[in-house]
Amino acid sequence: MESLKTIARKIKKKGARGTLQVIKTKSIVIFNKTLMPIKLQKLVKETKEKYENINLHEIREKTLSYIENMRIKEGPYGQYKYSASQNVPVLYASCYAALTRHLYGDLDRLSKKEREEWINYILSFQDDDGLFKDFTIKNEIAENCDWWGWRHLTLHALMALTALGGKTLKPFAIIKPFSKKGAITHWLETRNWKNDPAHVSNEVQNYGTLLQYARDFQNETWCEDALQEMYNWLDRTQDPKTGLWGNRFNDPISLSNGVQTAYHILLLYFYDRRPIQYMERIIDSCLKTQNQFGGFGVPLNSSACEDIDSIDPLVRFSRLTDYRKKDVETALKKALLWVLVNLNPDGGFVFRRMEPFTYGHYLMSSKKNESAMFPTWFRTLSLAYISKCISNSFLGKFEWQFIKCPGLQFWQE
């Protein structure tokens, strides 16, 4: 932490506006180092007491009630806004609603008319190139970003359609170049693995999922060859010491980044039941990212993304190997409590406690400690996966529903 003398020099140099910035920055540092741990510790304690004898059906009803409150009642069925502070429906929120409701078996209550309207609403966003595009949230990153934007939205739309019993027949133009032998190898080699492996892994996941969907739902048999070429390259470039992709895993931040990178890639392997190298090392890497409050990430108020990025592979690997099984179960029990720390009284979840969050566009933003549709889906999905490892908990007694579709919400026994 900077000395008072250093701060004084900065204030003198920056003037009045700089003074406010320095004070603000200093306040954030003090909060993160001193007040946040105290607040989080209190939240963890309160959550443990509150949910010690909880029935999952209570959480289910609250979460489904929150999702219903986000539904736009005018117009075709299936339109949802992102958070209570927003008023405009966005396709991303519709997908999160479908996926969360499917997990809880709530889509079974839909009438035939409601289901058809929802499917047609989602399909109305598909462009001629096969990608799903919601121009309500079009901005400068929608076309070229893979942790959000059109390609990532398409991945979610395909999962949501499958959950609702629909599918798309339009081909995906962006994967056609991979039909040529060697094309996907060249593409992988030209990605920015060194400086931004997490973003690259989102690219790999988006394109890989489209290849899997085209193969399994659109009879594009050539996609299998492209996927095998992709796996061969990924096998060759995987780090044998950590089981991760990228580099620089010798500090907490880069290790966490490496685990987040691996999560996106491993889902492709898991869906195709592809043998995975260095499973034990990946388990070690994931366990190392858990913090004192049970979340997985360097920030103590770890996000819905950071958490599931370790939870998902730990759960899946627990079904494939007995390596460090007790450690994995202990870590997931702590993670379960942490996920519930992020549950609000309204039934929704937050992305990260005590911080506002904007996901790609201002229409997909939430205030400090405000529930939102993305974290509500992702943290509910975390609960569903944890149940597969801690079967004797209140989670394990619930019959979660998964979809038979590539992406993020499939399960294979």
Side-chain angles (χ1 to χ4, degrees):
M1 191 176 288
E2 295 173 310
S3 67
L4 292 175
K5 185 179 290 185
T6 302
I7 295 173
R9 281 202 304 269
K10 287 186 176 181
I11 290 174
K12 184 176 181 181
K13 181 179 180 181
K14 293 175 180 290
R17 176 177 257 173
T19 300
L20 292 175
Q21 184 60 44
V22 169
I23 292 173
K24 181 181 178 182
T25 302
K26 193 67 176 176
S27 297
I28 292 173
V29 171
I30 292 172
F31 177 72
N32 287 337
K33 289 194 173 186
T34 57
L35 297 181
M36 181 180 286
I38 295 172
K39 286 181 175 289
L40 291 178
Q41 184 67 58
K42 183 180 179 182
L43 279 173
V44 170
K45 183 180 178 181
E46 291 173 350
T47 302
K48 186 174 183 180
E49 293 172 352
K50 182 177 181 180
Y51 292 107
E52 197 162 15
N53 299 306
I54 191 67
N55 186 320
L56 182 61
H57 290 281
E58 182 181 332
I59 297 176
R60 176 184 184 274
E61 292 308 310
K62 285 186 175 181
T63 297
L64 292 177
S65 175
Y66 166 75
I67 292 173
E68 177 61 18
N69 288 335
M70 296 303 104
R71 187 168 68 85
I72 304 297
K73 306 304 189 290
E74 300 79 23
Y77 194 92
Q79 297 183 88
Y80 290 81
K81 58 184 181 179
Y82 182 76
S83 64
S85 58
Q86 303 300 325
N87 295 307
V88 179
V90 294
L91 180 56
Y92 263 116
S94 178
C95 293
Y96 301 143
L99 292 169
T100 310
R101 291 182 63 179
H102 184 270
L103 278 170
Y104 275 131
D106 189 57
L107 292 183
D108 298 338
R109 298 193 307 109
L110 292 175
S111 68
K112 182 179 179 181
K113 182 176 183 291
E114 289 171 338
R115 187 180 296 272
E116 289 178 351
E117 283 188 2
W118 201 342
I119 290 172
N120 290 331
Y121 169 70
I122 295 175
L123 286 174
S124 71
F125 289 91
Q126 191 174 30
D127 205 350
D128 290 338
D129 62 5
L131 295 182
F132 287 75
K133 303 173 183 178
D134 181 357
F135 292 109
T136 303
I137 55 172
K138 183 179 181 180
N139 59 18
E140 65 279 2
I141 65 172
E143 295 280 355
N144 53 32
C145 155
D146 277 87
W147 52 264
W148 185 75
W150 304 153
R151 292 184 289 275
H152 206 51
L153 175 57
T154 300
L155 179 154
H156 289 78
L158 297 178
M159 291 190 292
L161 283 171
T162 305
L164 288 162
K167 68 176 183 178
T168 176
L169 297 176
K170 287 185 180 180
F172 309 116
I174 62 171
I175 63 172
K176 287 296 183 183
F178 295 150
S179 61
K180 182 179 179 182
K181 187 177 180 180
I184 200 165
T185 295
H186 175 73
W187 180 77
L188 288 164
E189 289 175 345
T190 56
R191 301 302 92 196
N192 190 11
W193 290 96
K194 183 177 180 181
N195 297 322
D196 199 357
H199 182 268
V200 172
S201 68
N202 273 299
E203 289 184 276
V204 174
Q205 181 184 38
N206 291 339
Y207 282 83
T209 300
L210 293 185
L211 286 166
Q212 290 174 328
Y213 188 92
R215 177 195 63 193
D216 296 350
F217 290 82
Q218 298 177 337
N219 298 315
E220 297 279 5
T221 56
W222 64 267
C223 293
E224 177 63 18
D225 291 334
L227 285 163
Q228 292 305 316
E229 185 180 324
M230 177 193 72
Y231 290 130
N232 290 336
W233 188 90
L234 290 170
D235 285 345
R236 291 196 305 271
T237 56
Q238 191 176 4
D239 177 32
K241 293 182 179 179
T242 61
L244 309 178
W245 286 269
N247 58 8
R248 304 188 312 264
F249 307 120
N250 55 352
D251 64 84
I253 293 177
S254 61
L255 178 63
S256 179
N257 199 34
V259 168
Q260 293 170 56
T261 298
Y263 164 71
H264 301 124
I265 295 172
L266 288 172
L267 282 168
L268 300 171
Y269 277 78
F270 285 126
Y271 178 78
D272 277 340
R273 299 181 186 272
R274 169 88 176 188
I276 298 172
Q277 303 177 124
Y278 319 123
M279 277 195 295
E280 291 84 0
R281 303 291 76 78
I282 301 174
I283 291 171
D284 290 339
S285 296
C286 290
L287 289 174
K288 285 180 182 177
T289 63
Q290 190 166 39
N291 63 46
Q292 69 189 74
F293 294 122
F296 293 89
V298 178
L300 293 178
N301 58 338
S302 56
S303 72
C305 285
E306 291 163 319
D307 293 336
I308 203 171
D309 290 357
S310 286
I311 289 171
D312 184 297
L314 284 175
V315 170
R316 295 185 196 273
F317 283 134
S318 74
R319 310 295 285 250
L320 300 175
T321 177
D322 288 332
Y323 178 73
R324 298 189 67 181
K325 204 170 187 70
K326 289 294 182 183
D327 292 336
V328 171
E329 290 179 359
T330 299
L332 291 173
K333 286 178 181 177
K334 290 176 63 179
L336 166 58
L337 181 60
W338 174 251
V339 172
L340 293 176
V341 165
N342 292 274
L343 174 61
N344 280 337
D346 65 5
F349 288 80
V350 298
F351 182 74
R352 195 191 293 276
R353 270 285 170 223
M354 295 181 279
E355 291 183 22
F357 178 62
T358 297
Y359 187 31
H361 191 279
Y362 72 89
L363 289 177
M364 294 178 65
S365 62
S366 52
K367 299 175 183 177
K368 177 181 175 181
N369 289 326
E370 181 185 23
S371 300
M373 293 294 279
F374 172 39
T376 296
W377 165 57
F378 234 21
R379 292 200 180 279
T380 302
L381 185 59
S382 293
L383 294 178
Y385 283 136
I386 291 173
S387 75
K388 294 297 182 179
C389 187
I390 311 176
S391 57
N392 60 347
S393 70
F394 70 88
L395 293 178
K397 299 173 184 177
F398 185 81
E399 292 188 14
W400 299 92
Q401 288 190 5
F402 295 90
I403 53 178
K404 295 180 180 179
C405 171
L408 293 79
Q409 196 161 300
F410 62 88
W411 180 255
Q412 299 159 333
E413 294 291 349

